[in-house]
Amino acid sequence: MVKFFKYMFATFAGGIVAAFVLFIFFIAMLSGLAAMGEKETKIKENTILLLDLNGPIVDRVTDDPFADAFASLTGEPTPEGLNRLLSNIEKAKRDDNISGIVLESGMVQAGYATIEEIRNALIDFKTSGKFIYSFSPIYTQKAYYLASVADKIYLNPSGMLELKGMYAERMFFKKALEKVGVEIQVFKHGKFKSAVEPFLLEEMSEPARLQTEVYINSMWNHVKVGIAEARGLTPEKVSALADEMPMFRSDEMLIESGLIDGLKYKDEVLNELKEVVGIDETDDLEAIKNNKYAKVFVSEGKGFIRQKIAVIYAEGDIDGTSTDGIKSDKLSKTIRKARRDSSIKAIVFRVNSPGGSALGSEIIWREVKLAQETKPVIVSMGNYAASGGYYISCAADKIVANPTTLTGSIGIFGMIPNAEELTNKLGVSFDGVKTNKFADMPSITRPFRKDEKELLQAYIVKGYDTFIGRCADGRNTTKEAIDEIGQGRVWSGVNALDIDLVDEIGGINKAIELAKDAADLDEYRVVELPEVEDPIQQLMKDLTGEARMFVGKSLMGDEYKYIQTLENLKNGYQIQARIPYNLEIK
C-alpha cells in the first residue's frame, strides 16, 4: 500500500516538476543552440578516443542539444547511441591522429546484444594495430565482457570485478493484486506465453522455467567462450572462476587467474598511456570523448554517392505509453517513404523491441511486407526482437540476430482486470442500462461471463493463427512448423538460427553488408530514419517525459519500471504480442 501511495504522489508531483523544468526552458535552449552552432572539431596527433560508457546505450542517439541540460537535472548520464559508437570506432580505425582507445565502461547499462556489437567493432579496430586499454574502479559482468577484448585491463586496487554467471528474474504481482481486490482475466494462446504469469502466479511455470534455462544457458555459453578467447583461457576455466565469485576474492587471484592485467590507480594508467603514445610524463595526454569525436571529419576518399541504404530504427514497446517507444502509425509512414524513395536501394530494419500491441504489429508488418516486395529488406535484431518484435521482422528477406538476442515468443494474449472486489471494499457500486447483449463489454467492474470469455478466447486464437501465418509466409514454411517452435516460446539468437527463425548471426554492420549485396551496390551511403526531430520538438518531449521519470525514479528507484509496466497495461492496447514483462538478465 505504501508503494501505491508513492505512485499516486509520483503522478501528482510529476506535474509540479514539469512546471519547474519549464522554468529553465530558456537556459536549456540557449545552451542547446550554442552547442548546435559548434563547428567541425579538429584533433592533434597521438589523440586517444575515450569511450566513457558508464550509462545507458540505446540503438540510436542524435545530436540532441538539450540532452546534457536534462542530464544535469536528473542526475542521470546522457544516453549514448550504438550508431554513434560503431561509426566512431570504425572512423578511429582509419584516423591517423587516433593512437588508440581507452574504455571506461565499468557500469555499462546495455543488453548483451548491444555489448556484443560494440565488442565486435573493437575487435575489428585492433586489426589496425592500435591499442585498447580498459580501466575502471568496478566492472559489472557485462562491462567485463566488453572490456575483455582490451589489450590491457586494469582495475583500481580497491575495486571489484563481477563474474558470476547469468541470472534471469521476474517479478510476480498475484498476491499484491489479491490484497487490493483486483483479478486479472487472461486470454492467451501458447503454453510458453509467460508474459501473463506475473499476474496469475507466484513463481515461474514449468514451461517458462524450461525456456528460460535454454536461452540463458545459450547466452552464458557464448559470453564465457568470448571471455576465454580474449583472455587466453578456456570456457571451463571461465565458468570455474565464476563459481569462485572473484568479486570477493583476493587481488592476487584476479591477476593470477588472468582475468585482469593489473591493479592500478588512474594516474598510473595515464602514465603508462603516455609512455605508449611516446610523450613525456609531465605532458598532458590528448584525449577526445565519443560525442565530440562524432564532429571530427575523416575522409573515406569518396565523393557524393546518390545510392543509399536506409537504416530504419524500431526501438521500444509497440504502441505503448512511452513517448520514446514505437508508434505504429509513424513507423509505418517512415517505411512507406523509404519504399517510395528511388534513391534508397535497400532497407536495414533495426528492431530492438519486446513487442506490444498486436494491432500495431500488424500495421507495421504490412509496410515491411510492401517494402520487401519493392526492394531488399534485411532485419537486424538488437537485444530483443520478440513477439511483436518478431512479428514486424518476419516479412524481411533475411533476418540477422546477435548470439544473445532474445527473439521468437510467437504468441499473443489479452489481459483485462476485474476490480469488482476492490470497488466493493471502497463502497462503490455500478449500475447501467444496455441495448444489446455485449454492450457493456469489456467491463472492469465485474467478471467476464462465459459467453464473453468464449468470444475473447476465440479472438485470441484467431490472432495467433494470423501471427503464425505471417511468420510462415515470411520464413517460407508452414503454420504447423511455426506453431511447433512458437507457442510464445523465447529463443536466443543462436537457438533461433538452429530452428530457422533467423538467417545469420551478426550485428547491424552485417545486416548492412547483406543489404549491399542484395541490392548489388558497389558504393552506397547510409541514411538513418526516422528523420531527426526538430530540436524544439525534442525539447518539449523531453520536458514531459524526463520530468515525470525524474520524480518516479526519485521516489521508487528501480521499482519505477514496474509502475511503467502497469501503466502500459492500463493505457495500452489490451491485445498484446510481447515478451515476458521486464525480463532481466543479470
Side-chain angles (χ1 to χ4, degrees):
M1 187 58 71
V2 172
K3 289 181 181 178
F4 172 77
F5 284 115
K6 278 185 176 182
Y7 170 57
M8 293 296 291
F9 177 69
T11 304
F12 170 74
I16 298 176
V17 173
F20 169 73
V21 174
L22 281 169
F23 180 71
I24 63 153
F25 174 87
F26 291 107
I27 297 175
M29 180 178 288
L30 289 174
S31 62
L33 292 175
M36 289 173 64
E38 289 183 4
K39 297 180 179 179
E40 177 191 330
T41 301
K42 303 286 186 181
I43 60 173
K44 300 178 181 179
E45 291 183 351
N46 290 329
T47 295
I48 292 171
L49 174 58
L50 176 62
L51 298 183
D52 182 351
L53 305 181
N54 289 299
I57 301 175
V58 296
D59 270 1
R60 183 191 187 193
V61 72
T62 57
D63 289 325
D64 181 358
F66 309 108
D68 290 337
F70 283 111
S72 63
L73 272 178
T74 62
E76 298 286 332
T78 305
E80 184 52 87
L82 178 63
N83 61 334
R84 187 159 68 185
L85 284 165
L86 298 183
S87 175
N88 280 354
I89 293 169
E90 190 278 330
K91 182 168 63 176
K93 178 184 173 183
R94 297 182 283 107
D95 191 344
D96 293 336
N97 289 324
I98 293 292
S99 298
I101 289 175
V102 171
L103 284 173
E104 292 185 354
S105 56
M107 299 293 288
V108 62
Q109 299 171 36
Y112 276 102
T114 296
I115 289 171
E116 186 79 20
E117 297 206 42
I118 302 168
R119 195 173 183 273
N120 287 338
L122 291 172
I123 291 172
D124 179 66
F125 173 84
K126 290 172 70 174
T127 63
S128 66
K130 301 177 182 182
F131 65 81
I132 300 177
Y133 270 51
S134 179
F135 170 77
S136 182
I138 184 170
Y139 288 100
T140 64
Q141 182 167 272
K142 288 180 180 179
Y144 180 71
Y145 178 53
L146 176 59
S148 65
V149 301
D151 299 294
K152 297 287 184 180
I153 303 176
Y154 291 124
L155 179 69
N156 185 289
S158 298
M160 304 177 80
L161 186 151
E162 179 184 63
L163 182 68
K164 59 182 183 180
M166 289 187 184
Y167 173 63
E169 182 179 71
R170 300 173 197 168
M171 178 177 276
F172 294 83
F173 305 102
K174 181 176 182 289
K175 283 191 174 181
L177 292 169
E178 287 176 350
K179 287 182 179 180
V180 297
V182 175
E183 172 200 13
I184 301 296
Q185 300 168 104
V186 171
F187 305 87
K188 72 184 181 84
H189 189 76
K191 64 180 179 180
F192 289 99
K193 200 61 189 173
S194 54
V196 299
E197 289 186 0
F199 305 93
L200 301 178
L201 306 176
E202 296 173 31
E203 59 185 14
M204 291 184 189
S205 67
E206 283 308 309
R209 189 175 299 279
L210 170 63
Q211 70 168 344
T212 306
E213 287 174 351
V214 170
Y215 66 67
I216 199 172
N217 278 292
S218 171
M219 294 171 69
W220 173 238
N221 286 337
H222 178 78
V223 167
K224 69 182 181 184
V225 166
I227 292 172
E229 290 177 349
R231 298 301 299 172
L233 305 171
T234 64
E236 293 75 19
K237 177 63 175 177
V238 173
S239 189
L241 287 169
D243 283 338
E244 293 184 42
M245 196 66 168
M247 178 180 287
F248 302 114
R249 300 292 180 174
S250 67
D251 296 342
E252 290 74 17
M253 180 266 195
L254 293 175
I255 299 173
E256 291 171 2
S257 66
L259 290 175
I260 65 173
D261 294 289
L263 298 163
K264 293 194 175 188
Y265 292 102
K266 190 168 187 175
D267 61 287
E268 294 176 309
V269 176
L270 292 176
N271 286 337
E272 183 174 331
L273 286 168
K274 289 177 183 180
E275 185 177 338
V276 170
V277 299
I279 66 172
D280 192 87
E281 190 174 315
T282 58
D283 293 334
D284 291 331
L285 280 168
E286 291 287 340
I288 185 168
K289 291 186 176 181
N290 192 59
N291 62 334
K292 295 293 183 184
Y293 189 59
K295 297 180 174 67
V296 174
F297 174 74
V298 179
S299 175
E300 297 183 50
K302 300 177 182 178
F304 176 76
I305 300 171
R306 183 177 185 274
Q307 297 180 127
K308 297 177 285 190
I309 293 176
V311 177
I312 300 178
Y313 289 89
E315 185 169 17
D317 288 356
I318 299 173
D319 287 337
T321 58
S322 170
T323 57
D324 296 324
I326 299 168
K327 303 304 177 188
S328 59
D329 56 341
K330 291 183 179 180
L331 182 57
S332 296
K333 183 178 180 181
T334 298
I335 299 170
R336 187 160 55 251
K337 286 178 68 176
R339 167 167 58 90
R340 293 174 174 174
D341 188 336
S342 61
S343 68
I344 293 175
K345 303 302 181 182
I347 294 172
V348 170
F349 190 31
R350 174 67 175 194
V351 179
N352 196 355
S353 171
S357 161
L359 174 59
S361 300
E362 170 74 5
I363 290 169
I364 298 167
W365 168 86
R366 174 63 177 172
E367 289 299 332
V368 175
K369 177 64 176 172
L370 291 175
Q372 182 268 338
E373 292 171 354
T374 305
K375 58 191 66 175
V377 177
I378 311 296
V379 161
S380 168
M381 292 181 165
N383 297 312
Y384 303 97
S387 207
Y390 192 82
Y391 199 133
I392 66 177
S393 302
C394 66
D397 293 286
K398 285 191 176 180
I399 298 176
V400 181
N402 282 285
T404 52
T405 294
L406 292 181
T407 188
S409 192
I410 298 168
I412 66 173
F413 65 90
M415 293 197 298
I416 301 175
N418 167 27
E420 183 180 50
E421 185 180 341
L422 174 61
T423 57
N424 287 339
K425 288 179 179 179
L426 297 174
V428 177
S429 59
F430 298 85
D431 195 9
V433 176
K434 64 180 181 179
T435 60
N436 294 82
K437 183 178 180 180
F438 297 109
D440 61 338
M441 176 187 173
S443 172
I444 65 168
T445 59
R446 62 168 177 80
F448 275 82
R449 299 188 302 266
K450 183 175 182 290
D451 55 351
E452 291 174 326
K453 289 181 179 180
E454 291 172 350
L455 195 63
L456 266 174
Q457 185 60 36
Y459 184 73
I460 293 294
V461 171
K462 177 186 174 184
Y464 178 74
D465 186 67
T466 299
F467 193 168
I468 62 174
R470 303 301 187 218
C471 295
D473 290 342
R475 303 305 298 169
N476 296 315
T477 186
T478 64
K479 285 185 179 181
E480 292 74 21
I482 293 295
D483 184 50
E484 187 174 338
I485 57 177
Q487 298 282 326
R489 183 164 184 172
V490 181
W491 305 91
S492 73
V494 172
N495 297 151
L497 180 66
D498 292 338
I499 58 175
D500 201 34
L501 281 179
V502 306
D503 299 289
E504 303 255 4
I505 294 296
I508 192 167
N509 288 336
K510 176 70 173 179
I512 292 172
E513 187 67 21
L514 290 173
K516 176 187 83 77
D517 293 342
D520 195 22
L521 299 175
D522 293 323
E523 291 187 328
Y524 64 92
R525 59 190 173 97
V526 173
V527 293
E528 295 185 332
L529 301 173
E531 293 178 355
V532 178
E533 288 182 308
D534 177 88
I536 302 303
Q537 290 179 326
Q538 181 65 40
L539 174 62
M540 296 310 296
K541 187 170 76 172
D542 288 345
L543 283 170
T544 54
E546 292 287 350
R548 186 172 184 181
M549 187 175 293
F550 170 71
V551 175
K553 284 187 175 180
S554 297
L555 289 171
M556 305 194 72
D558 288 340
E559 293 169 342
Y560 179 65
K561 60 179 174 285
Y562 300 116
I563 295 300
Q564 289 179 306
T565 293
L566 294 174
E567 280 198 335
N568 282 334
L569 277 178
K570 179 184 71 175
N571 300 320
Y573 289 90
Q574 292 166 330
I575 305 302
Q576 298 275 308
R578 64 169 296 147
I579 201 171
Y581 286 108
N582 295 312
L583 179 62
E584 294 190 14
I585 309 293
K586 299 179 180 178

